[in-house]
Amino acid sequence: MLKLKCIALAVFLLQGFSVSLTAQQAHLIPIPVKAEYPQGFYSLPNRIIIAAPKSEALQATVKNLTDRLEKTAMRKVQMLWDASSQADLAQIRLILSKQANPTLGNEGYTLAVNARGIVITANKPAGLFYGVQSLLQLMPKEIEAKQTVIKQTWKVPFAQITDYPRFAWRGLMLDVARHFFNKDQVKQFIDEMVAYKYNILHFHLTDDEGWRVEIKSFPNLTKKGAWNVPKVGRFTEFSKPEPNEPRTQGGFFTKEDIQDIVSYAKGRFVNVMPEIDVPGHSMAAIASYPELSCTPEAVNYQVISGEPFIDWSHGHAVALQDNTLCPANEKVYTFLDKVFTEVAEMFPFEYIHMGGDECPKNYWEKNPQILAMMQKENLKTPQEVQAFFTRRLEKIITSKGKKMMGWDEILEGGGLPKNTAVMSWRGIAGGVQAAKDGHEVVMTPNNHVYVDLMQGDAAIEPPVYETVRLRDSYAFNPVPEGVDAKLVKGGQANLWSEQLFTYRHLQYMLFPRAWAVSEALWSPQENRNWDNFVSRVEHHFGRFDQAEKKYAPSMYDAIIQVGKNEQGQLWVELSTEVNPLSVHYSFDYSYPDNFYPAATGKVIIPKDALEMRMISYRGKEKVGRMMTISIEDLKKRLKK
Ligand code: ACM
């Protein structure tokens, strides 16, 4: 009997042990194609030899790994470049396969950690780079710390991983136009994206609020177009600037800055796609060169400083000031030719994005120049006018040896050249249509990957138009049913910056949703699982804490649903994206700890209550933030 008890205890301990090990080991984001984690750890020795092929392409990869090991983990690192005869001495080996492994493609890798050390193999340097990103994620979270960490042992779990991406296009869009982020911040952004295996930086460089790239042929674009009046608060509700108010907010990238960014990105296997957003979203260009507009009042226009100037109440853009380039003015095409010549020279990537989104047509409808052009070119609608403009621009962009890409509005009006790629943002419909018409497609549906939107309830999140929760981002699948998968190059998350005033807040908006999208873009659909992802997100929160990076804990906070019962009583239902959590609440203005009632089912709002407070708990542990909502606000939601 005692023996039986001992065996039972051993089995229990073993199970407990293996459960905790599994939890500890399986935290890679994005989740690999195939990964096994045998029992055991490799401890990083005090002196580490790294063997790597001497390739210019791997310099930044190796430097990052070496820096982390030396500066954070206090290991002594010695490099062996191209030393195949001595490579057996190395504890970490990066190997470019002599015979290509077709499964791995250009970006895949294998990573083996065992008692002898660590070996990463790949067909190409990019694969070794991604292997190193995975290796860093397998290391203890303290490896992310900015300063030296004293730790008795630095253990890496045994692993056997084979991994490669689902999509070649794994993009993140950064809007540096609405609010400017400088060169060092862009480099930081690149570092943060590649850690999660993104490979395309879509650089939104121009908009109504700023022109951010030096164009030698048109110096006013940055002398005037890069500057507006500093405002804080809620974008689009800012007061109108005074006529002579100092325009001190903004900035731009010189040609040297761009060269530096592109080269930094290249060292991390990232392509940079510039976007020059035309013919709408062009107020910064028009304020710099009013002759680009069809509207005579444009001579008085200024770069927008976040004050309202478009009426969105009709469901589409109605401009109160004309922010469009004039499609009936030959000077506009000369301008675009020169601008795109310089842009093509600065950015080696094969695609240039020309925007094309949200172009108001109300000024065009009344403009004699445009009406005359419509007659001459037999254009029936303002959409056909934009399509005419797009076709002319396509000729310009392809003449520079580049492929053109635009937002899905460029499908409207018809006649889009086949070789133009479409980025679908108003859901997936534009992407589905574009693929049917034979265009290449990148999926960026706003209801899944717009990481500028609120990630939780408006009662606690900084206000931005709508909500896209972490779970919505995780549900992103770039290839919906019925689409020709061959034409879908991949997808990306878009970070617009209307409401981004600091880099800290940029991080808050980006993470953890960018982790969810990275998994949608890299990992096989069948490997993805929400509950498992949440546990990995929690591990990465710990890594970000070490790195002193900001992230949003919104996934823990309450989701509020409101309704009225037959007796006319107002009720709320409180749930969370992450389970199992309980939400405790109060109506008496006091702080709800975990002894307060937990919301189950419909909670009736007491007749005289004015405010409800709530916090999420996991058992006794407070995981959510306190949310406060007035009963007045709940009633307003009911009306909607
Ligand atoms: C967009 O969000 N206007 C492309």
Side-chain angles (χ1 to χ4, degrees), residues 281 357-358 407 409 425 450 494 496:
H281 286 282
D357 58 319
E358 299 180 319
W407 299 110
E409 284 93 331
W425 74 276
Y450 265 41
N494 293 338
W496 301 99

Side-chain angles (χ1 to χ4, degrees), residues 21-42:
L21 267 188
T22 306
Q24 188 184 347
Q25 291 171 355
H27 56 234
L28 291 186
I29 297 179
I31 196 161
V33 173
K34 217 166 115 203
E36 284 163 22
Y37 301 99
Q39 292 278 330
F41 290 92
Y42 177 69

